[in-house]
Amino acid sequence: MADTDFGVSLDTNVSATALKALGVLDFVGEQRRPVTVAEVASAIGADRATAYRMLMTLVQSGYVQKEADAKHYRLTFKVLSLARQLVGEDERARHILACLRRISDETGETVHYSMLERDAAVLVFRAKGSQRVAVDFQIGDRSPLHCTSIGKVLLAYHDKRLTEAVIASGLAKVAPNTVTDPDELRRSLVRIRAEGYAFDDLEFAPDMRCIALPVFESGGEVPGGIAISGPASRFDLAKLEALRDVAMIHATALSRELGGLF
């Protein structure tokens, strides 16, 4: 077995070519615009010929489409078929969505549910609020773990080895208040676990604040959590505390519904 990033072990017999192709798929999907062969080559650390072959493989399989200019590539909607089972309307999803809608109806804010996926928090469900000035995250968006409220919540309730892997990968400063000191991050995670919530005070973006809470499931695991984000102009400390109090009531009820609290 060989170690990879964030404590995931892979069999030494895995296909490096397949992993590189999936890396291309990740890169194309993360961009909000069509990309060129040169950009893909740079992203995966390969020559243009290799990048082109990878793209053609993904085009052939239906996950990537060549634009009319024959120079740019983008994802196709076939990718949605892979995600359908993850975000389908099963009983668990219905409980989560109902909870998000209750919080949104009560606060007027857009509410998100994100899950831990390797090195990021991935937005899986959302309930749109009535506020006209809001932070507009989308389903599938990925957030770093060390500088977002939901990321810190997921770290706080996960195995400490993940925290150390995140620290080892580097705590990039992306906003005025991003925590970049490992000991400070460790202390904040202890506090989050004790208090049951996390704030993001200009840590991910210079004009945004957030509140996040864990959602417990069977066995006391925390695969995901609820977050509310908004512009700093509206989200002062008093607002964050008020949102926390509302969200905590509903997150606790959801945790009971999912078998995480009794």
Side-chain angles (χ1 to χ4, degrees), residues 4 40 49 56 78 152-153 164 174 203 211 221 224-225 241:
T4 60
V40 171
M56 287 301 96
K78 186 176 180 180
K152 290 186 295 182
V153 159
E164 296 308 311
V174 297
E203 296 172 50
I211 170 70
E221 298 294 321
E241 290 177 341

Side-chain angles (χ1 to χ4, degrees), residues 144 146-148 152 171-181 184 200-206:
H146 74 288
C147 59
T148 59
K152 290 186 295 182
L171 304 178
K173 187 175 183 65
V174 297
N177 292 344
T178 302
V179 173
T180 58
D181 177 75
E184 185 178 352
D200 161 7
D201 180 17
L202 314 182
E203 296 172 50
F204 181 53

Side-chain angles (χ1 to χ4, degrees), residues 34-48:
V35 300
T36 65
V37 173
E39 289 174 318
V40 171
S42 176
I44 66 173
D47 57 45
R48 290 172 62 100

Side-chain angles (χ1 to χ4, degrees), residues 13-256:
N13 293 317
V14 299
S15 169
T17 301
L19 285 177
K20 189 163 288 187
L22 291 171
V24 171
L25 189 63
D26 283 340
F27 174 74
V28 176
E30 288 167 359
Q31 310 311 303
R32 295 181 180 244
R33 55 174 177 76
V35 300
T36 65
V37 173
E39 289 174 318
V40 171
S42 176
I44 66 173
D47 57 45
R48 290 172 62 100
T50 298
Y52 182 74
R53 285 197 302 272
M54 298 293 175
L55 283 167
M56 287 301 96
T57 299
L58 294 169
V59 168
Q60 183 68 33
S61 63
Y63 290 104
V64 169
Q65 177 176 311
K66 185 184 291 188
E67 295 285 83
D69 65 4
K71 297 180 180 179
H72 292 81
Y73 301 82
R74 64 173 176 82
L75 287 187
T76 70
F77 288 106
K78 186 176 180 180
V79 176
L80 293 178
S81 66
L82 295 179
R84 188 166 49 200
Q85 295 302 319
L86 291 176
V87 296
E89 287 276 348
D90 58 10
E91 184 177 2
R92 175 178 172 276
R94 286 192 290 272
H95 281 304
I96 293 171
L97 285 167
C99 176
L100 300 186
R101 291 175 186 133
R102 286 192 292 268
I103 298 172
S104 182
D105 288 345
E106 192 167 336
T107 64
E109 303 292 345
T110 297
V111 187
H112 303 132
Y113 177 87
S114 297
M115 296 187 69
L116 178 66
E117 185 179 73
R118 290 174 62 86
D119 61 340
V122 180
L123 201 162
V124 180
F125 302 108
R126 72 196 291 256
K128 185 75 173 176
S130 58
Q131 289 285 351
R132 292 188 178 182
V133 180
V135 176
D136 193 24
F137 290 117
Q138 301 297 316
I139 300 296
D141 281 354
R142 301 173 68 87
S143 300
L145 298 177
H146 74 288
C147 59
T148 59
S149 59
I150 185 60
K152 290 186 295 182
V153 159
L154 295 176
L155 276 180
Y157 288 90
H158 202 269
D159 191 295
K160 291 182 180 179
R161 288 176 296 181
L162 178 60
T163 299
E164 296 308 311
V166 169
I167 290 171
S169 71
L171 304 178
K173 187 175 183 65
V174 297
N177 292 344
T178 302
V179 173
T180 58
D181 177 75
D183 288 334
E184 185 178 352
L185 177 62
R186 293 186 186 102
R187 287 192 296 270
S188 72
L189 297 180
V190 171
R191 183 172 63 253
I192 289 165
R193 192 175 179 102
E195 297 176 343
Y197 67 90
F199 285 158
D200 161 7
D201 180 17
L202 314 182
E203 296 172 50
F204 181 53
D207 56 354
M208 183 178 74
R209 292 189 176 96
C210 315
I211 170 70
L213 304 97
V215 172
F216 296 89
E217 298 195 25
S218 180
E221 298 294 321
V222 180
I226 293 169
I228 309 173
S229 304
S233 58
R234 286 201 301 107
F235 276 46
D236 56 16
L237 180 59
K239 173 74 170 181
L240 287 175
E241 290 177 341
L243 291 172
R244 174 201 61 198
D245 294 344
V246 173
M248 189 170 286
I249 293 170
H250 294 290
T252 300
L254 176 60
S255 293
R256 291 197 177 98

